[in-house]
Amino acid sequence: MRQQKKPVILDKLDAWLADANQSFSPEMQKVRQEALESFKEIGFPHHKMEKWRDTNLTEALSFDYSLWTKEFNTSIKEEEIFKCDVHELDAFTVNLYRGRYVYKDQPIFEMDNGTIVGSIAAAFEKYPELVAKHFGKYHKEGDVKAFDLLNTALFLDGLFVYVPKNVKVEQAIQLINAVGREENAFVQNRNLIVLEDGAELTLIHCDDSYDYKRSFTNTVSEYYVGENARLDHYKIQNLNDNSYIVNSDYFHQERYANVSTNKMMLNGGIIRNEVYNKLNGEGSESKILGLYLADKSQHVDNQVFVDHAKPNCESTELFKGIVDDYAHAVFNGHILVRPDAQQTNAYQDNNNIILTDKAKINSKPFLEIYADDVKCSHGSTMGQLDENSLFYIRQRGIGIDNARLLLMYAYAAEVINHIKIETLLNRIDDMVKKRLRGELSICDQCVLQCSSPEYSFEIDMDKID
Amino acid sequence: MLLNIKDLHVEINGKEILKGVNLEVNKGEVHAIMGPNGTGKSTLAAVVAGKDGYEVTQGEILFNGKDISEMAPEVRAQEGIFLGFQYPVEIPGVSITNFMRTAMNEIRKYHGQEPLAAGEFLKKMNEKQKLVEIHSKLKNRSVNEGFSGGEKKKNEIFQMAMLEPQLAILDETDSGLDIDALRIVANGVNKLKTDDNATVVITHYQRLLDYIVPDVVHILFDGKIVMSGGKELAMELEEKGYEWIKQKVNG
């Protein structure tokens, strides 16, 4: 058997840890050292592992990456890097550039209502007990993941949010992770979001690249959603084709907690999203949605594990994708209903439109049920654009390109329409339209073309009444 | 002459469905095409509208003197041909408003006209909506999604009213309609009639022709128009049944 080439960065890990560890407490340094040792034992995942069978990172990991451990250089103009924000969105914006927290005055601060927002590195110093209570606590028992260990060992910063009991944060928080400017960035972001009982938060999480430089990002986000708390979460991934991203979200819900997470995978070389959602309290509900648009040789992979641990919970999964050219999409959905979790409602759907005979889709919906009084369903579909619908639209005078676009857009809208913030909905709507028209490939500076004049869009789907 | 079909032969997957159809439709006329199931009525409608999968092996279709048989369906629509579908397609996620605005503007563009301003467009929508007694909330819904059979057919006539085609072919528009919906649909068609346009109504039953009075009735049987006449032909057919045609043709 041919030996796989060892990633060159394996030899750099110890030096990176030594560099990255400086600002952390001795206890935390120990945790990180142990995480790195454990990582070295298991190594990077490879495609012979069941969960990685359809996603091959060999090439993505073969480059000579560098971890940026330097302080953020304030001479870099913030607006130059983070210009791809959602315009007119009334949000409190937090920026991470290559894994470093960017700030003007202070890295972390407390609002009048007690909400804490800021750098997780700062939170480790300022609120050690609060962080320790939740950090690294919401993984599936027994499930050791190499990228989580690597992240724990090497993360430099990330977002920390704490919302006290019964506080409803009115303004959405927007986190922008940007890469660019320097070639071969290796980025480890770590986010921790804590919502105490009855708290409410809207979080928009964007992964952006502002040029065509290569990068590998490994993000781990942990979300604790207390009793009756409500988290409305959006993830927008829109990076250049040289971006590789492994993103893991851990949502832990207590009684009657409500989580909605909506992922928009618009562009990227390899995007791997893992979700582990534990419904740990009776009556909790989660909605896990995703839209992926992949073309050229892009690869997008969604791994969703929903763990029904307590009775009377409901989970809904809907992932829809349009896969063009040579692109490859993977979906693995796993619903576990534990013996106690009677009266569970769990739904899982993965639908795909495949536009060429070279594009590829691997979809594996899976249910594992140990309770006897449950309502569960799973389904997976693959198909082309419907010929009868195309003819109907063209018969009204709409040209074939726009007819196809209209159908693709309509297909995507089922996911987009779940977005509850109107300005975000309009922006995503516009981005999806542009993406479907292939306009992202024509830009030479910002992948989003935010600052460029609007291209005329013949399908005018703006709400006009 | 608006539509001139000459000796049209059409195959689907190598099977000949239309075996030499001749049809002439002038401006200002209403034609009815009747016939038993499976004789090629819907095929004729689909071929004129340009649906894929139909091969014209002989003959020609002239619209306003132009041969349209090689034109894409959207170009035929832009030229002024409208097909009212027997089974209108549901398009979740696209509102009727946006669908019609896009269609109208593409047709206007084809004729070198500027897009219609939003205000004018809305005014037109409201006006045409009344014609087919569509409630205002319908226009914000996705095209045909969750519509009843009657609503779908009303929506077809509404679209016809918006797009103002020169030639409308209504394929079994009466199927699945209760008497009230039938009256509304027929009413809409009658109100849209001008000296400059024409309508071809394809139907299985004479019932619709109580409301839409045709100038000419054609009977399509086994891929050919075997008989044409005035509106009384429909009555005679209703009375004697399609067996009468079979005997006439075969005997």
Side-chain angles (χ1 to χ4, degrees):
Chain A
M1 205 179 295
R2 197 165 63 94
Q3 225 21 52
Q4 270 186 19
K5 214 181 142 210
K6 200 177 102 176
V8 288
I9 53 166
L10 283 177
D11 296 329
K12 294 177 149 188
L13 299 179
D14 287 312
W16 282 349
L17 178 65
D19 245 7
N21 245 349
Q22 286 170 15
S23 57
F24 287 91
S25 69
E27 301 86 66
M28 195 55 201
Q29 291 190 12
K30 193 165 164 274
V31 169
R32 289 158 71 93
Q33 187 68 51
E34 283 169 8
L36 190 65
E37 293 313 316
S38 304
F39 170 80
K40 283 185 198 162
E41 274 169 39
I42 57 176
F44 282 111
H46 50 81
H47 66 279
K48 290 196 190 73
M49 296 161 78
E50 177 63 24
K51 289 276 163 66
W52 288 90
R53 214 176 48 184
D54 301 311
T55 296
N56 191 343
L57 293 180
T58 309
E59 202 206 330
L61 287 168
S62 70
F63 302 99
D64 189 11
Y65 292 106
S66 57
L67 185 75
W68 202 34
T69 54
K70 291 187 292 263
E71 280 298 310
F72 185 78
N73 179 356
T74 46
S75 69
I76 299 169
K77 285 203 186 81
E78 212 178 296
E79 57 273 19
E80 246 179 57
I81 300 171
F82 302 104
K83 56 183 162 190
C84 297
D85 58 346
V86 178
H87 300 307
E88 288 155 32
L89 178 70
D90 178 27
F92 180 88
T93 305
V94 175
N95 299 315
L96 284 167
Y97 170 62
R98 289 188 66 182
R100 299 308 306 249
Y101 196 89
V102 183
Y103 62 94
K104 282 206 178 90
D105 307 318
Q106 46 184 340
I108 191 159
F109 67 94
E110 224 173 300
M111 296 176 180
D112 290 342
N113 60 22
T115 301
I116 303 166
V117 183
S119 135
I120 195 171
F124 266 100
E125 272 179 50
K126 211 171 168 189
Y127 309 97
E129 284 166 24
L130 197 53
V131 175
K133 194 176 164 194
H134 298 283
F135 182 85
K137 295 285 194 294
Y138 305 118
H139 299 59
K140 183 167 174 278
E141 305 115 61
D143 194 12
V144 181
K145 290 178 178 170
F147 279 106
D148 289 354
L149 293 169
L150 193 66
N151 183 281
T152 299
L154 297 177
F155 79 87
L156 286 148
D157 220 328
L159 173 69
F160 176 72
V161 179
Y162 174 81
V163 187
K165 197 169 172 179
N166 293 329
V167 169
K168 294 171 178 46
V169 182
E170 298 280 332
Q171 202 182 23
I173 294 177
Q174 186 189 13
L175 168 65
I176 301 173
N177 296 321
V179 286
R181 294 183 79 98
E182 313 261 342
E183 193 70 78
N184 292 342
F186 199 63
V187 180
Q188 304 285 328
N189 293 322
R190 184 67 170 244
N191 308 308
L192 177 61
I193 316 297
V194 177
L195 274 67
E196 294 288 16
D197 296 350
E200 288 185 16
L201 177 72
T202 298
L203 180 69
I204 301 157
H205 192 168
C206 306
D207 290 318
D208 285 336
S209 58
Y210 97 116
D211 55 23
Y212 283 104
K213 298 280 197 289
R214 180 179 292 111
S215 65
F216 192 109
T217 302
N218 174 29
T219 300
V220 174
S221 305
E222 296 165 298
Y223 306 86
Y224 171 84
V225 186
E227 197 170 316
N228 277 310
R230 177 181 288 268
L231 173 68
D232 195 13
H233 176 251
Y234 302 94
K235 177 108 192 161
I236 297 136
Q237 293 168 316
N238 201 1
L239 301 106
N240 68 40
D241 292 345
N242 299 317
S243 299
Y244 312 113
I245 190 157
V246 175
N247 175 69
S248 307
D249 286 321
Y250 295 91
F251 296 99
H252 181 94
Q253 292 176 244
E254 293 296 345
R255 281 160 46 98
Y256 303 104
N258 191 306
V259 168
S260 164
T261 175
N262 200 334
K263 289 189 170 59
M264 299 287 148
M265 294 152 262
L266 302 179
N267 207 75
I270 294 177
I271 295 177
R272 160 103 168 185
N273 282 317
E274 300 197 12
V275 172
Y276 173 66
N277 176 208
K278 187 165 189 181
L279 296 158
N280 196 49
E282 198 169 333
S284 53
E285 272 180 45
S286 70
K287 225 182 236 165
I288 304 167
L289 310 167
L291 171 70
Y292 45 91
L293 310 173
D295 60 6
K296 291 165 279 181
S297 58
Q298 296 173 354
H299 184 97
V300 55
D301 178 356
N302 282 285
Q303 307 275 328
V304 184
F305 194 115
V306 180
D307 190 342
H308 281 264
K310 293 283 153 60
N312 290 308
C313 296
E314 180 167 312
S315 67
T316 310
E317 274 169 61
L318 174 65
F319 279 76
K320 294 185 90 170
I322 301 174
V323 188
D324 200 354
D325 300 333
Y326 296 85
H328 185 184
V330 181
F331 176 81
N332 259 314
H334 189 148
I335 296 173
L336 169 65
V337 182
R338 294 184 190 259
D340 284 352
Q342 298 294 358
Q343 306 278 325
T344 287
N345 289 326
Y347 311 103
Q348 184 189 76
D349 254 307
N350 174 227
N351 304 321
N352 295 283
I353 285 182
I354 184 159
L355 294 175
T356 68
D357 55 4
K358 297 284 191 297
K360 192 174 163 188
I361 289 158
N362 293 95
S363 178
K364 189 176 157 199
F366 188 71
L367 302 175
E368 186 184 352
I369 302 170
Y370 298 102
D372 53 13
D373 182 15
V374 300
K375 219 190 269 175
C376 295
S377 69
H378 61 165
S380 171
T381 62
M382 261 166 246
Q384 280 91 38
L385 292 175
D386 182 56
E387 285 298 326
N388 286 327
S389 304
L390 272 178
F391 176 60
Y392 186 76
I393 296 168
R394 294 173 75 189
Q395 209 298 307
R396 297 306 183 243
I398 299 173
I400 180 131
D401 289 345
N402 276 340
R404 288 168 63 89
L405 189 64
L406 194 66
L407 279 182
M408 289 193 277
Y409 171 76
Y411 175 84
E414 197 193 344
V415 176
I416 301 169
N417 287 341
H418 282 277
I419 298 173
K420 293 176 201 126
I421 311 163
E422 205 187 333
T423 44
L424 182 65
L425 174 69
N426 293 340
R427 179 80 185 109
I428 297 292
D429 203 69
D430 185 47
M431 283 162 79
V432 168
K433 282 177 206 161
K434 280 186 173 174
R435 177 70 175 90
L436 291 173
R437 286 180 77 94
E439 280 178 8
L440 281 181
S441 57
I442 59 160
C443 60
D444 55 7
Q445 223 247 335
C446 161
V447 257
L448 288 192
Q449 288 267 314
C450 288
S451 50
S452 71
E454 287 288 305
Y455 284 81
S456 72
F457 192 68
E458 280 160 31
I459 301 275
D460 187 351
M461 285 177 280
D462 296 340
K463 290 176 186 64
I464 59 167
D465 55 343
Chain B
M1 200 182 300
L2 192 59
L3 179 70
N4 189 2
I5 299 177
K6 293 188 210 166
D7 191 31
L8 186 68
H9 290 251
V10 172
E11 287 183 5
I12 305 173
N13 298 326
K15 188 170 182 262
E16 190 168 55
I17 306 292
L18 297 184
K19 303 169 181 172
V21 171
N22 292 292
L23 180 66
E24 293 178 2
V25 179
N26 292 304
K27 288 178 185 172
E29 289 177 351
V30 175
H31 288 237
I33 297 177
M34 302 183 71
N37 287 328
T39 53
K41 301 193 298 292
S42 289
T43 298
L44 181 60
V47 165
V48 174
K51 193 175 184 186
D52 278 348
Y54 298 82
E55 200 195 340
V56 176
T57 52
Q58 204 179 311
E60 56 183 2
I61 309 168
L62 301 176
F63 183 68
N64 277 323
K66 268 189 241 178
D67 188 348
I68 60 166
S69 43
E70 295 297 319
M71 285 180 185
E74 56 268 32
V75 179
R76 300 185 202 203
Q78 289 157 356
E79 284 281 339
I81 295 172
F82 178 91
L83 174 62
F85 282 60
Q86 185 176 3
Y87 304 107
V89 177
E90 297 192 12
I91 315 172
V94 179
S95 76
I96 295 169
T97 306
N98 289 328
F99 184 48
M100 276 298 100
R101 196 167 178 220
T102 306
M104 274 183 84
N105 285 341
E106 285 215 26
I107 292 171
R108 290 177 69 89
K109 195 173 154 193
Y110 181 79
H111 294 284
Q113 294 164 313
E114 291 294 309
L116 208 60
E120 273 177 80
F121 173 78
L122 278 183
K123 207 175 126 203
K124 188 162 181 170
M125 274 215 38
N126 289 332
E127 188 188 304
K128 302 298 183 184
Q129 204 171 305
K130 284 187 196 122
L131 189 86
V132 278
E133 300 174 35
I134 287 183
H135 304 294
S136 60
K137 60 185 179 193
L138 210 63
K139 69 184 176 189
N140 291 326
R141 285 167 60 181
S142 292
V143 178
N144 294 324
E145 191 187 25
F147 284 21
S148 69
E151 281 174 329
K152 281 182 183 168
K153 296 299 172 71
K154 282 202 290 193
N155 192 23
E156 293 294 283
I157 305 305
F158 166 70
Q159 292 178 41
M160 172 183 160
M162 289 297 288
L163 302 178
E164 298 172 325
Q166 258 202 310
L167 174 69
I169 303 168
L170 305 177
D171 187 10
E172 306 262 3
T173 296
D174 51 335
S175 68
L177 290 190
D178 63 31
I179 200 75
D180 288 334
L182 186 71
R183 184 185 49 76
I184 292 167
V185 162
N187 232 339
V189 174
N190 289 334
K191 281 185 191 159
L192 293 171
K193 192 181 162 184
T194 68
D195 290 340
D196 198 43
N197 66 21
T199 309
V200 175
V201 178
I202 291 174
T203 183
H204 187 73
Y205 302 104
Q206 188 266 338
R207 189 176 70 148
L208 179 66
L209 305 182
D210 288 343
Y211 299 92
I212 301 173
V213 182
D215 298 300
V216 190
V217 173
H218 307 276
I219 294 167
L220 188 66
F221 183 78
D222 194 25
K224 276 183 183 170
I225 287 174
V226 292
M227 211 184 278
S228 297
K231 62 181 183 226
E232 49 309 323
L233 181 58
M235 313 288 261
E236 197 175 356
L237 188 64
E238 181 78 0
E239 212 174 281
K240 296 180 178 167
Y242 284 117
E243 277 305 310
W244 166 61
I245 300 292
K246 281 184 196 169
Q247 281 164 15
K248 264 193 110 137
V249 172
N250 297 330

